[in-house]
């Protein structure tokens, strides 16, 4: 097995990078085609969700594969390779299998335990099959991942550990309150008619909203979703479809708006949201200035001034307001050599301080010298900037609740500053989920994942030797046929009954001689490090490599004909 995955997710990259690196369906298809066309990769599949972009491939060289897959991700995402590389993670062979199985079980999701990822994995497999980029390895891998995910949800209580991203987002909009109580009687606007938007519409309908309006660029899909909601047995919601051009007008009527489209630009700008709020209330949606927090922080900390800025190794323009350019906060992250230079600069400077503070540049130089000695031992001084907390400015109660589940974002982040609006997006969901408690069932799911990874690896290794065993038995059958032909030449008068008995006897002897070795070699090949047994078998019996390869191609062709999406 030479399975390789290169990707980035909410765990490795900030949302701003994920947003820029997101791939629409067309870009995903082009990435798959370019990956299988590249030299190191024989198969490829892309798993792209709102919080991850991962490229899976069967490669023949590890280092060349990592370089090629990383380059392809950078090219198709539009984020430069140098900028993207620090956020990429790489998994290989069993670790790659473990990663995908963990993803399928919801262990790597932003909301631990959510089951929506299974549908996204299924879609990824279907896309790779449609483009013929998934071969035997990735078909088996992704279908097994789906089975493992379903097993985790059916055999454990992982569902109690998390919900779908939609449910979690609605809980954040409800500010921790009961979603059904908060949503009851409200009017909702759902922008988009894909899987995430459909889930949001259904969740809102079950929560008790009075109306769901679905807006989509393809009106037929919006009408189909509205019809499904209207005919649902578990809700009595009023649902209707509108074209995208109606979104500004519908936004003035809506209490809740959920957006998840494949648009590359903003669907709702700050100006359009402000206009909607003004249309509802008759009052402009004034911005809450972020500068107040900065001003409060500056008032809360003692001022510091420097007599001479010349030769200072610190970028004074980049220093956050309220921090001493002489103190530990300013030198956080510096290496030893820079710290020593900074200490020398401090020793020659002058500082104005409040009464009662320790005075004199010598004290600062002594402190920074000690920090330099520490840095020389441990490498760097860790970041320790901690501004004093200040009171947040009072916000009015929201009249419009916005949930943005798209990547890249559909709703302008500047909406966060509008009074009367509460916006929850992928970035705020990531922050909220960081401290979410994990259920005890997670440990059980991890054990399931470990067992399934071991079983998958053993099956894959055993399957790897099967073509060699088949080629060996084919060679043995050819030897039997050849010897029986020689016997016919030596004993031309042999009757059919005796000839058949001799043929059967020779075949039984060959089968018995090969039975124990072939069974044992399959067992050994299934163990870790067992890949070499196939090579040993080919060498011992002088098997033709082309015969083995032909068996493998025949098996792959048969498997492809019988295989479909799980």
């Amino acid at each position: 097995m030479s399975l390789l995955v290169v990707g980035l997710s909410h765990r490795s990259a900030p949302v701003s990078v994920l947003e820029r690196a997101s791939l629409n369906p067309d870009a995903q298809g082009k990435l798959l085609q370019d990956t299988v066309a590249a030299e190191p990769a024989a198969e490829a599949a892309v798993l792209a969700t709102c919080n991850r972009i991962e490229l899976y491939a069967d490669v023949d060289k590890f280092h060349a594969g990592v370089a090629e897959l990383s380059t392809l991700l950078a090219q198709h995402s539009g984020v430069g390779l140098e900028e993207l590389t620090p956020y990429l993670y790489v998994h290989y062979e069993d670790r790659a299998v473990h990663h995908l199985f963990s993803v399928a079980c919801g262990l790597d999701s932003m909301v631990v335990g959510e089951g929506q990822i299974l549908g996204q994995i299924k879609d990824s497999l279907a896309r790779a099959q449609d483009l013929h980029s998934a071969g035997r390895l990735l078909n088996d891998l992704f279908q097994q991942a789906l089975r493992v995910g379903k097993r985790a949800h059916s055999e454990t209580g992982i569902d109690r550990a998390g919900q779908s991203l939609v449910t979690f987002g609605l809980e954040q909009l409800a500010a921790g309150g009961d979603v059904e109580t908060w949503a009851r009687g409200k009017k909702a606007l759902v922008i988009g008619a894909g899987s995430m938007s459909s889930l949001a519409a259904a969740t809102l309908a079950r929560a008790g909203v009075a109306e769901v309006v679905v807006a989509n660029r393809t009106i037929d899909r919006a009408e189909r979703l509205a019809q499904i909601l209207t005919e649902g047995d578990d809700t009595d919601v009023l649902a209707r479809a509108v074209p995208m051009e109606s979104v500004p007008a519908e936004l003035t009527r809506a209490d809740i708006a959920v957006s998840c489209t494949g648009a590359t630009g903003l669907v709702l700008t700050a100006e359009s949201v402000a206009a909607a709020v003004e249309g509802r209330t008759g009052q402009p949606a004034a911005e809450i200035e972020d500068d107040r927090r900065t001003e409060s922080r500056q008032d809360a900390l003692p001022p510091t001034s420097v007599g001479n800025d010349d030769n200072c190794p610190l970028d004074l323009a980049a220093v956050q307001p309220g921090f001493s350019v002489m103190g530990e906060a300013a030198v956080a992250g510096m290496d030893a050599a820079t710290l020593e230079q900074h200490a020398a600069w401090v020793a020659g400077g002058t500082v104005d301080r409040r009464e009662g503070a320790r005075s004199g540049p010598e004290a600062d130089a002594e402190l920074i010298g000690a920090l330099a000695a520490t840095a020389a031992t441990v490498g760097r001084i860790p970041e320790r900037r901690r501004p004093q907390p200040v009171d947040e400015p009072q916000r009015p109660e929201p009249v419009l609740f916005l949930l943005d589940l798209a990547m890249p974002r559909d709703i302008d982040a500047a909406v966060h500053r509008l009074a009367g609006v509460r916006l929850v997006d992928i970035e705020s969901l990531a922050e909220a989920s960081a401290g979410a408690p994990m259920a005890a069932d997670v440990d059980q799911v991890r054990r399931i994942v470990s067992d399934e990874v071991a079983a998958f690896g053993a099956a894959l290794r055993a399957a790897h030797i099967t073509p060699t065993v088949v080629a060996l038995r084919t060679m043995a059958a050819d030897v039997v046929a050849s010897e029986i032909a020689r016997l016919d030449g030596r004993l031309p008068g042999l009757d059919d009954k005796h000839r058949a008995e001799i043929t059967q006897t020779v075949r039984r002897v060959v089968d018995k001689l090969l039975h124990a070795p072939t069974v044992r070699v399959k067992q050994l090949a299934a163990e870790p490090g067992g890949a070499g047994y196939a090579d040993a078998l080919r060498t011992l019996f002088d098997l033709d490599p082309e015969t083995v390869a032909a068996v493998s191609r025949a098996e792959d062709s048969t498997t492809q004909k019988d295989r479909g999406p799980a």
Side-chain angles (χ1 to χ4, degrees):
M1 177 179 60
S2 302
L3 177 66
L4 175 67
V5 55
V6 177
L8 66 160
S9 73
H10 65 284
R11 296 185 183 276
S12 69
V15 172
S16 58
V17 175
L18 279 173
E19 183 178 34
R20 292 170 52 210
S22 62
L23 302 171
N24 60 39
D26 289 341
Q28 292 175 40
K30 189 66 168 63
L31 174 58
L32 286 177
Q33 293 170 342
D34 288 353
T35 301
V36 294
E39 183 179 345
E43 306 178 30
V46 175
L47 178 57
T49 72
C50 59
N51 52 34
R52 75 178 63 251
I53 302 113
E54 295 177 343
L55 180 55
Y56 291 77
D58 180 11
V59 299
D60 57 7
K61 300 181 182 68
F62 172 72
H63 292 96
V66 172
E68 186 66 31
L69 266 59
S70 301
T71 300
L72 287 168
L73 274 174
Q75 289 175 349
H76 287 271
S77 68
V79 180
L81 181 60
E82 185 175 343
E83 181 181 359
L84 191 65
T85 298
Y87 304 112
L88 294 177
Y89 47 77
V90 174
H91 299 296
Y92 190 55
E93 296 188 332
D94 283 352
R95 291 302 307 169
V97 177
H98 189 281
H99 175 73
L100 181 59
F101 287 4
S102 297
V103 169
C105 293
L107 293 180
D108 198 58
S109 295
M110 188 178 292
V111 182
V112 174
E114 60 95 10
Q116 189 179 1
I117 186 66
L118 287 175
Q120 294 163 330
I121 291 174
K122 186 174 182 179
D123 291 343
S124 296
L125 174 58
R127 183 183 301 109
Q129 289 174 334
D130 290 343
L131 295 173
H132 306 290
S133 67
R136 183 189 186 96
L137 174 60
L138 292 185
N139 268 293
D140 288 347
L141 174 69
F142 273 66
Q143 291 193 28
Q144 186 62 25
L146 291 171
R147 286 189 283 268
V148 174
K150 292 173 183 176
R151 179 188 170 193
H153 284 279
S154 63
E155 295 183 13
T156 75
I158 189 67
D159 291 328
R160 296 194 298 267
Q163 328 100 311
S164 72
L165 204 59
V166 171
T167 305
F168 188 61
L170 293 177
E171 285 188 353
Q172 298 305 305
L173 283 181
D178 178 66
V179 171
E180 292 188 2
T181 302
W182 166 78
R184 188 173 296 118
K186 286 183 167 63
K187 296 178 181 179
L189 170 64
V190 175
I191 306 174
S195 58
M196 185 79 82
S197 299
S198 300
L199 177 60
T203 303
L204 286 166
R206 286 193 297 268
V209 296
E211 181 184 34
V212 175
V213 178
V214 182
N216 194 57
R217 298 191 185 281
T218 307
I219 191 64
D220 290 345
R221 295 190 65 182
E223 289 173 345
R224 187 160 57 248
L225 177 54
Q227 182 180 2
I228 292 172
L229 295 173
T230 302
E231 296 175 353
D233 295 332
D234 55 347
T235 68
D236 56 357
V237 68
L238 174 64
R240 56 188 176 88
V242 298
M244 287 294 288
E245 294 75 17
S246 300
V247 165
E250 294 295 340
L251 199 61
T252 63
R253 301 178 61 254
D255 303 297
I256 307 167
V258 180
S259 187
C260 186
T261 73
T264 55
L266 294 175
V267 174
L268 295 178
T269 64
E271 291 77 12
S272 64
V273 173
V277 173
E278 185 174 356
R280 292 174 58 90
T281 64
Q283 299 293 328
E287 288 193 0
I288 297 179
E289 296 294 340
D290 291 338
D291 291 340
R292 295 179 189 174
R293 187 181 303 176
T294 302
E295 293 169 0
S296 299
R297 184 170 64 232
Q298 287 176 305
D299 292 341
L301 296 173
T304 302
S305 61
V306 182
N308 182 11
D309 292 350
D310 294 339
N311 302 318
C312 175
L314 185 66
D315 181 6
L316 299 179
V319 176
Q320 297 184 19
F323 285 106
S324 169
V325 295
M326 303 292 188
E328 182 177 350
V331 297
M334 285 186 181
D335 56 26
T338 308
L339 278 167
E340 290 175 355
Q341 181 186 356
H342 188 55
W345 172 77
V346 169
T350 58
V351 183
D352 297 329
R353 297 179 180 272
R354 290 186 176 179
E355 186 177 354
R358 186 178 177 186
S359 60
E362 295 81 5
D364 280 318
E366 181 181 348
L367 172 61
I368 296 174
L371 288 173
T374 303
T377 303
V378 301
R380 300 182 77 86
I381 296 297
E383 178 66 64
R384 295 184 62 184
R385 297 183 177 183
R386 294 183 179 178
Q388 294 183 7
V390 297
D391 294 333
E392 293 286 342
Q394 187 67 33
R395 295 184 68 103
E397 286 297 316
V399 296
L400 181 58
F401 298 85
L402 302 176
L403 178 58
D404 185 0
L405 298 174
M407 184 63 70
R409 72 183 76 218
D410 279 349
I411 303 176
D412 192 344
V415 169
H416 278 294
R417 298 199 300 268
L418 294 179
V421 180
R422 178 175 297 158
L423 169 62
V424 171
D425 54 19
I426 293 296
E427 189 165 13
S428 54
L429 284 175
E431 294 174 358
S433 66
M438 297 173 65
D441 298 274
V442 168
D443 288 337
Q444 186 178 351
V445 173
R446 285 176 175 155
R447 287 193 293 271
I448 289 175
V449 168
S450 296
D451 292 344
E452 292 284 358
V453 170
F456 183 82
L460 208 62
R461 288 187 289 270
H464 179 69
I465 203 170
T466 298
T468 302
V469 172
V470 172
L472 174 61
R473 289 192 172 276
T474 300
M475 183 192 75
D478 291 342
V479 170
V480 170
S482 176
E483 291 302 316
I484 294 299
R486 286 183 59 193
L487 182 64
D488 288 340
R490 292 182 177 185
L491 301 174
L494 190 66
D495 61 77
D496 291 344
K497 179 179 178 181
H498 289 94
R499 183 180 183 281
E501 185 63 33
I502 293 171
T503 301
Q504 186 64 26
T505 299
V506 174
R507 285 175 177 167
R508 280 198 299 266
V509 170
V510 172
D511 287 343
K512 287 183 178 181
L513 285 173
L514 291 181
H515 176 73
T518 53
V519 169
R520 184 59 180 147
V521 79
K522 286 183 177 179
Q523 294 172 341
L524 292 170
E527 298 175 359
Y533 287 100
D535 295 333
L537 205 60
R538 288 192 293 270
T539 301
L540 287 172
F541 288 92
D542 195 23
L543 298 176
D544 182 6
E546 181 54 35
T547 302
V548 177
V551 174
S552 298
R553 288 194 295 270
E555 287 190 348
D556 287 344
S557 177
T558 302
T559 303
Q560 286 290 86
K561 290 179 181 178
D562 297 337
R563 181 176 283 122

